[in-house]
Amino acid sequence: MARLLTMTQDDAAMTTIPASQTAVPQIQVRGVEKVFTVGAQKIVALQNIDLDVQKGEFVCLLGPSGCGKSTLLNAVAGFQPPTRGTVTADGKAVMGPGPDRGMVFQEYALFPWMTVAENVAFGLQIKSMGKAEITARVDALLEKLHLQDFRHRYPKDLSGGMRQRVAIARVLALDSPILLMDEPFGALDALTRRTLQDELLRIWQEVGKTILFVTHSIEESIYLADRIIVMTYRPGTIKQDVRVDMPRPRDGASAEFNRLKRDLSLMVMEEQQRFSADEIRSVTAD
Amino acid sequence: MSNASSKTSAASILRGSLVPLLVVAFWQALSSSGLINPVVLPSPVAVVVRWWAYLLPAEAYDPAQSGWFLWALSGEMLTDAWSSLYRVVLGFAVGAGLALPLGLVMGTSERAYGLMDPLLQVLRPIPPIAYIPLAILWFGLGNAPAIFLIAIGAFFPVLMNTIAGVRHVDGIYLRAARNLGAGPTTMFLRVILPAATPYILAGARIGIGTAFIVVIVSEMIAVNAGLGFRILEAREFMWSDKIIAGMFTIGLLGLAIDIAMNRLNNHLLRWHRGLDS
Ligand SMILES: Nc1ncnc2c1ncn2[C@@H]1O[C@H](COP(=O)(O)OP(=O)(O)O)[C@@H](O)[C@H]1O
Ligand SMILES: [Mg+2]
């Protein structure tokens, strides 16, 4: 299933994924293709995507911008059905968005007319959960994400990092087995970003969710993921499926980290160059 | 620090009142010079005296008749202002009450929009004032035609802005809500409606402004109380001081309505980015 790696097998940080997995994967993507038609132009955003994510796995989709990471995530979330192929989550075919696959957006997507607590409670109210239970759950989540003191604030009065904490609390409230995150920390400064990465890892280890996490940052993917899926640019395919076996917390200064970083950089750079060449072409064509 | 800021605020009050004071002084000089007939242009002093008389109760206080508070409010001006305000509020409630649900439906459903839009495009450019003959024909004289006209004046601004508000709801909120499991009712009541409130309230503000214009006009034709009626009545007696006193009162009431709308706006949109000040 996975393409063959260019790396050597004895590289401890990277090993190929065995061709057959024993457990039933929590997310199963089979033969997915997505074509956007813009005027007369056809953009093949995704082609021939096969991907299995096991229960409890933390998987990063990595690639330069425009390579179809969001499109793949949206197909799993159910926002954009693929042109061809199937997506299965928890054994059920994905037909549309749902609270079993909670999504965290890069733009936070908090409801600005709701306070922090109201945003977190929203999904629970939809489930028609009792008032007392909602309050208890919201309180626990706000505490978990260090938001207790901000519960009555509106999103406009929060920093970017705080907003993304609220967005994370909002999907955690759903208690969905799958978390989908589209460059959630992309707009944050480096320090806030690291703090939130650590908290996400802590929460993930605590509650054992399956996470599919989109990023274009190589370091972020190495810091977080059990597996890194490197994507190609137009058509968007899976270039490489890389397992990361380093113990956490991972040290960005370690030799292993940097070896992996160099290898991934080469791969991403190749795609980045195709992306830049494309951009230059489209600019000169105008 | 506070000393400096009170100094600057005193200075700004002084600066702000400079032009009005000059205008009043010029006006007073003009009427004192005797060049202009006081019926054409009464002096500012005469206007203020008349305004005060207009404000005060007509009869002396009589505890046997009514309570102190009601007596204080029994002056002609306050009765007029109250009648005008009552019509504005009622007419606005009718107009906006019809426009809001219609706008929500038209903003949400392409089909409803396609059905209703042609008719509304034809009706919208007709100024509410042009409905006066029809209003009198249909409703006779009194409050009913006035409220009909005011409702028309308030209807279109609220309708247009509600449609625009619903259509401009950012797709990211809809996606987030669908992801959280929101069904159509929740989506409408808790996402689309609040997301559209900035537009809707802007429409309400324009609508109440129009309603206030229409109330004055409609009172000049169909009723015998209210600020619009009073200044027309004063003209019949050539009381120019009372005309101007009435106009100032209309301005004050308009200002009060605007301030109230602003307060409401700030409260309902306390979550909104643009309203940090
Ligand atoms: N709605 C759309 N219409 C047309 N083209 C789109 C649309 N969404 C994405 N694309 C194109 O599909 C490709 C993949 O986009 P996307 O998944 O957003 O990339 P990424 O998230 O990796 O930056 C890009 O080339 C983009 O221009
Ligand atoms: Mg993207």
Side-chain angles (χ1 to χ4, degrees):
Chain A
M1 176 212 119
R3 277 135 223 276
L4 261 187
L5 284 173
T6 48
M7 313 300 136
T8 51
Q9 281 293 42
D10 59 6
D11 190 329
M14 297 169 83
T15 46
T16 43
I17 306 299
S20 63
Q21 292 281 359
T22 43
V24 178
Q26 184 131 40
I27 303 174
Q28 218 171 8
V29 179
R30 283 289 171 276
V32 159
E33 176 195 276
K34 179 77 190 179
V35 180
F36 291 107
T37 315
V38 184
Q41 203 192 358
K42 280 200 189 315
I43 297 169
V44 185
L46 294 177
Q47 195 176 56
N48 219 354
I49 303 279
D50 287 319
L51 176 66
D52 280 352
V53 179
Q54 304 302 323
K55 190 168 178 353
E57 230 178 351
F58 196 134
V59 174
C60 276
L61 297 176
L62 176 68
S65 104
C67 70
K69 305 181 297 292
S70 297
T71 307
L72 180 52
L73 202 70
N74 282 331
V76 177
F79 288 127
Q80 284 175 335
T83 340
R84 189 182 293 170
T86 56
V87 179
T88 318
D90 242 347
K92 292 184 293 278
V94 168
M95 305 302 283
D100 58 321
R101 282 153 289 134
M103 178 102 160
V104 177
F105 302 86
Q106 177 170 6
E107 318 88 314
Y108 318 121
L110 297 176
F111 303 116
W113 51 90
M114 295 183 197
T115 62
V116 167
E118 287 165 349
N119 265 287
V120 177
F122 186 62
L124 300 175
Q125 288 160 348
I126 290 172
K127 286 186 176 174
S128 16
M129 188 180 277
K131 257 209 172 114
E133 206 185 338
I134 292 181
T135 314
R137 274 240 219 154
V138 169
D139 284 349
L141 280 165
L142 293 182
E143 190 134 345
K144 196 192 278 276
L145 285 141
H146 310 297
L147 288 165
Q148 314 89 301
D149 299 340
F150 302 91
R151 55 182 310 140
H152 298 303
R153 292 234 195 147
Y154 286 99
K156 68 160 178 160
D157 299 325
L158 298 176
S159 68
M162 283 295 171
R163 286 183 202 176
Q164 205 52 291
R165 280 168 193 270
V166 180
I168 292 170
R170 185 172 69 174
V171 293
L172 286 179
L174 299 172
D175 205 18
S176 51
I178 298 171
L179 275 191
L180 306 173
M181 311 183 91
D182 194 351
E183 307 203 25
F185 309 143
L188 306 178
D189 63 87
L191 264 174
T192 313
R193 191 174 191 166
R194 175 48 49 94
T195 315
L196 279 177
Q197 286 167 345
D198 285 337
E199 288 196 24
L200 179 64
L201 283 175
R202 191 196 76 208
I203 290 166
W204 169 67
Q205 280 158 347
E206 250 174 58
V207 296
K209 296 202 183 298
T210 307
I211 299 184
L212 192 54
F213 186 108
V214 166
T215 179
H216 63 250
S217 155
I218 294 165
E219 288 188 41
E220 182 168 62
S221 69
I222 304 174
Y223 192 72
L224 294 175
D226 291 329
R227 257 169 81 201
I228 299 171
I229 312 291
V230 185
M231 295 186 64
T232 62
Y233 175 77
R234 285 199 196 172
T237 60
I238 294 178
K239 188 184 179 86
Q240 205 100 84
D241 188 334
V242 180
R243 184 170 289 282
V244 187
D245 280 332
M246 285 180 265
R248 293 184 180 91
R250 292 174 180 160
D251 176 8
S254 76
E256 215 177 343
F257 195 107
N258 282 291
R259 197 160 47 224
L260 184 52
K261 188 169 146 188
R262 188 198 59 219
D263 295 338
L264 287 170
S265 298
L266 286 174
M267 285 187 251
V268 173
M269 201 67 86
E270 261 176 42
E271 300 309 316
Q272 178 74 49
Q273 267 155 12
R274 291 173 52 195
F275 169 72
S276 308
D278 231 33
E279 274 208 319
I280 290 163
R281 237 195 327 276
S282 72
V283 168
T284 46
D286 281 344
Chain B
M1 196 58 219
S2 80
N3 213 351
S5 73
S6 76
K7 221 180 249 170
T8 51
S9 82
S12 78
I13 288 173
L14 213 66
R15 209 176 18 247
S17 46
L18 192 64
V19 172
L21 281 175
L22 279 176
V23 169
V24 171
F26 178 70
W27 175 10
Q28 181 65 52
L30 208 63
S31 50
S32 307
S33 73
L35 289 173
I36 296 177
N37 183 345
V39 175
V40 175
L41 187 70
S43 77
V45 175
V47 169
V48 170
V49 169
R50 196 58 189 248
W51 189 84
W52 186 246
Y54 183 27
L55 173 70
L56 289 181
E59 280 133 49
Y61 176 49
D62 174 8
Q65 279 277 320
S66 66
W68 180 87
F69 186 65
L70 280 180
W71 171 80
L73 292 179
S74 71
E76 198 180 32
M77 182 203 293
L78 292 179
T79 315
D80 283 341
W82 173 246
S83 319
S84 298
L85 187 63
Y86 167 80
R87 292 185 190 107
V88 168
V89 169
L90 198 62
F92 176 80
V94 171
L98 292 171
L100 184 66
L102 182 62
L104 290 174
V105 171
M106 284 177 71
T108 327
S109 145
E110 273 307 317
R111 263 181 68 204
Y113 186 83
L115 274 174
M116 295 302 300
D117 191 53
L119 175 66
L120 293 169
Q121 290 301 334
V122 171
L123 294 181
R124 193 162 70 103
I126 304 174
I129 313 298
Y131 285 88
I132 287 175
L134 205 57
I136 294 174
L137 202 64
W138 286 356
F139 299 102
L141 295 178
N143 260 341
I147 285 168
F148 171 74
L149 293 170
I150 296 160
I152 287 177
F155 179 82
F156 284 103
V158 175
L159 179 74
M160 290 316 181
N161 271 47
T162 304
I163 294 173
V166 172
R167 292 191 156 191
H168 283 90
V169 173
D170 194 336
I172 190 85
Y173 301 135
L174 304 180
R175 294 210 294 162
R178 282 204 292 152
N179 183 249
L180 296 169
T185 315
T186 307
M187 184 67 96
F188 188 76
L189 291 178
R190 299 210 47 201
V191 180
I192 295 177
L193 193 59
T197 38
Y199 276 86
I200 296 173
L201 285 174
R205 225 167 153 180
I206 302 170
I208 209 147
T210 316
F212 193 63
I213 295 170
V214 177
V215 76
I216 301 301
V217 177
S218 69
E219 282 172 351
M220 290 184 172
I221 47 125
V223 292
N224 50 17
L227 296 168
F229 165 79
R230 200 61 65 201
I231 60 175
L232 205 69
E233 182 199 53
R235 189 201 61 94
E236 309 221 335
F237 299 102
M238 308 281 252
W239 290 337
S240 47
D241 46 2
K242 189 164 184 185
I243 294 178
I244 296 176
M247 287 168 61
F248 275 122
T249 312
I250 290 171
L252 287 176
L253 184 62
L255 187 66
I257 290 176
D258 203 53
I259 289 172
M261 280 304 276
N262 214 359
R263 286 265 170 89
L264 182 73
N265 220 53
N266 284 347
H267 176 70
L268 289 176
L269 297 182
R270 61 195 179 282
W271 54 269
H272 201 253
R273 252 178 185 291
L275 288 170
D276 277 334
S277 55

